[in-house]
């Protein structure tokens, strides 16, 4: 375009759209197509959500198993205690029905019962801890975890695009990724202000996909030193960044602190899928995201090293800080 035609009082000559339309073309000429712009805008929004919040909510995602899974989890928690205990955690293990991360007699406790199960890959399943009551529970969980895997792969491919990365190695590694599912029950509490459903924490996953079955805001994220509630939207998936993506993006995206609060009258259920890439890929900052301006902040680790550090972390120290170079 030369300097003259930039004058906003004149317009360049382009074809008449009426004429164009009368020709009944099968395709719209490229100059009219705006898909790319829309996609670029959407990716930019995703980038800002991941960078500024570390969390976003997805509607119209098309995952059909969400409601069925919610019903099965509801039925499970409605069973008598003795029945639920058929699938209780074994000593020194997190998996199964019980309470999370109780390491001492003095420790303050969360107002939360849960069942935690490793779901994918299939060989990681400990089926003796998978409830057989309600009868459809296992089948529904199988379908649900496959759906969550598809969702994770697709979110990760958009996240890598949002970061300007062309390499699909990261998103593809979620095909062989690990998927652990935690189903939470937060019963009504006589003094909700004095307890927490889950203490503040950030997830050690790459991303976490949460479905909320409460009708009051229970999940909160820390943003600029304030707790901000997630308004539950029926059937929506809340996706948050975990420590693995924080490390891989060299801190461009951060794993947000979050917690759950409880209600005096109402119970709340949630289903949380922790998604990890394939154990065969290393966990460290992506080279393209580090340079002189953004020097490497986090260590390079194998998958095994990352989990070793997680399970042997000091509880009085921030886990993510312990991964700094
Ligand atoms: C979790 C978690 C929040 C919720 O399980 O890691 O953050 O609302 N749960 O259940
Ligand atoms: Ni969490």
């Amino acid at each position: 375009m030369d300097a003259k035609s930039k004058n906003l009082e004149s317009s360049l000559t382009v074809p008449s759209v009426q004429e164009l339309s009368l020709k009944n073309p099968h395709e719209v000429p490229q100059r009219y197509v705006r898909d790319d712009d829309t996609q670029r805008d959407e990716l930019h929004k995703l980038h800002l959500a991941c960078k500024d919040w570390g969390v976003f909510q997805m509607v119209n995602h098309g995952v059909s198993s969400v409601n069925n899974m919610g019903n099965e989890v509801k039925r499970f928690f409605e069973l008598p205690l003795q029945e639920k205990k058929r699938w209780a955690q074994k000593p020194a293990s997190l998996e199964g029905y019980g309470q999370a991360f109780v390491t001492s007699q003095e420790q303050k406790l969360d107002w939360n019962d849960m069942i935690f199960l490793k779901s994918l890959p299939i060989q990681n399943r400990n089926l003796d801890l998978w409830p057989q009551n309600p009868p459809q529970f296992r089948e529904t969980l199988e379908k649900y975890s496959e759906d969550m895997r598809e969702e994770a792969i697709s979110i990760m491919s958009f996240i890598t695009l949002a970061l300007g990365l062309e390499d699909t190695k990261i998103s593809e590694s979620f095909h062989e990724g690990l998927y652990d599912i935690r189903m939470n029950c937060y019963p009504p509490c006589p003094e909700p202000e004095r307890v927490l459903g889950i203490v503040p924490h950030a997830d050690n996953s790459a991303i976490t996909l949460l479905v909320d079955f409460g009708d009051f805001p229970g999940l909160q994220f820390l943003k600029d030193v304030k707790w901000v509630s997630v308004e539950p939207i029926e059937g929506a998936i809340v996706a948050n960044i975990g420590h693995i993506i924080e490390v891989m993006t060299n801190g461009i995206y951060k794993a947000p602190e979050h917690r759950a609060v409880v209600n005096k009258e109402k119970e709340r259920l949630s289903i949380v899928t922790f998604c990890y890439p394939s154990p065969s890929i290393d966990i460290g900052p992506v080279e393209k995201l580090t340079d002189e301006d953004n020097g490497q902040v986090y260590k390079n680790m194998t998958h095994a090293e990352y989990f070793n550090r997680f399970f042997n972390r000091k509880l009085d120290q921030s886990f993510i800080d312990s991964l700094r170079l």
Side-chain angles (χ1 to χ4, degrees):
M1 216 187 264
D2 59 28
K4 242 191 252 157
S5 61
K6 267 190 190 152
N7 185 328
L8 293 177
E9 280 180 52
S10 65
S11 175
L12 296 177
T13 315
V14 293
S16 149
V17 182
Q18 274 183 310
E19 295 301 315
L20 199 62
S21 166
L22 282 173
K23 283 191 205 145
N24 275 325
H26 292 296
E27 273 186 6
V28 171
Q30 208 47 47
R31 244 190 119 173
Y32 294 85
V33 175
R34 292 176 191 268
D35 302 351
D36 295 357
D37 296 8
T38 319
Q39 183 170 26
R40 205 175 327 115
D41 291 351
E42 290 302 313
L43 283 175
H44 189 62
K45 283 191 213 158
L46 177 64
H47 177 69
L48 292 181
C50 291
K51 192 165 81 63
D52 298 342
W53 288 85
V55 57
F56 52 92
Q57 202 155 192
M58 293 182 294
V59 294
N60 300 327
H61 46 68
V63 177
S64 57
S65 57
V66 163
N67 270 335
N68 292 346
M69 194 67 236
N71 289 334
E72 294 304 304
V73 172
K74 185 163 184 289
R75 286 184 197 122
F76 175 78
F77 282 112
E78 279 165 4
L79 295 172
L81 180 63
Q82 277 318 311
E83 181 67 3
K84 285 184 287 217
K85 281 192 167 170
R86 286 174 62 193
W87 300 281
Q89 290 161 325
K90 309 237 158 69
S93 163
L94 268 185
E95 252 196 296
Y97 167 72
Q99 292 75 29
F101 296 119
V102 181
T103 52
S104 77
Q105 290 299 332
E106 299 83 51
Q107 184 190 329
K108 293 283 180 195
L109 300 176
D110 292 341
W111 194 265
N112 166 281
D113 286 346
M114 57 131 209
I115 175 160
F116 179 74
L117 298 169
K118 295 181 182 179
S119 188
L120 287 169
I122 292 171
Q123 64 267 26
N124 282 12
R125 290 180 185 166
N126 292 306
L127 280 183
D128 52 332
L129 297 171
W130 282 48
Q132 283 169 301
N133 190 9
Q136 303 297 315
F137 186 96
R138 284 187 174 189
E139 230 178 281
T140 311
L141 185 56
E142 280 177 18
K143 170 78 168 73
Y144 183 77
S145 33
E146 277 160 22
D147 286 351
M148 287 296 133
R149 173 168 59 189
E150 290 313 307
E151 208 55 23
I153 297 166
S154 120
I155 295 168
M156 284 311 307
S157 66
F158 287 120
I159 283 184
T160 42
L161 284 176
L163 286 161
L165 301 173
E166 273 124 51
D167 195 350
T168 55
K169 198 176 113 212
I170 295 178
S171 55
E172 272 164 24
S173 77
F174 283 79
H175 284 280
E176 268 78 53
L178 312 183
Y179 296 83
D180 297 345
I181 305 199
R182 175 174 164 160
M183 292 150 268
N184 294 299
C185 174
Y186 304 97
C189 176
E191 294 185 286
E193 313 76 24
R194 303 187 66 196
V195 307
L196 284 171
I198 293 194
V199 279
H201 67 282
D203 297 336
N204 78 347
S205 57
I207 48 167
T208 301
L209 304 178
L210 177 144
V211 182
D212 195 326
F213 295 93
D215 65 355
F216 63 90
L219 175 60
Q220 300 182 328
F221 283 84
L222 193 60
K223 165 80 172 148
D224 306 330
V225 271
K226 281 204 195 86
W227 288 104
V228 180
S229 294
V230 176
E231 285 298 328
I233 301 174
E234 206 186 314
I237 298 176
V238 180
N240 73 261
I241 301 290
H243 286 140
I244 294 180
I245 292 300
E246 177 158 353
V247 170
M248 285 182 159
T249 63
N250 201 35
I252 299 174
Y253 295 167
K254 293 196 177 55
E257 288 274 311
H258 54 283
R259 67 179 190 181
V261 296
V262 299
N263 188 278
K264 198 169 165 113
E265 274 92 34
K266 293 175 183 171
E267 176 186 82
R268 175 171 169 265
L269 302 178
S270 69
I271 306 178
V272 187
T273 309
F274 301 99
C275 314
Y276 305 85
S278 159
S280 71
I281 78 159
D282 286 346
I283 295 172
V286 175
E287 222 175 277
K288 262 196 86 177
L289 300 178
T290 61
D291 54 31
E292 304 96 72
D293 301 338
N294 188 19
Q296 184 172 347
V297 175
Y298 295 113
K299 298 184 167 101
N300 293 310
M301 292 157 281
T302 62
H303 179 93
E305 279 164 356
Y306 176 82
F307 276 96
N308 245 321
R309 284 175 180 279
F310 181 74
F311 288 115
N312 295 301
R313 72 195 185 279
K314 297 194 183 70
L315 287 173
D316 57 356
Q317 201 203 341
S318 138
F319 173 57
I320 190 76
D321 285 344
S322 76
L323 305 180
R324 287 174 182 274
L325 271 179

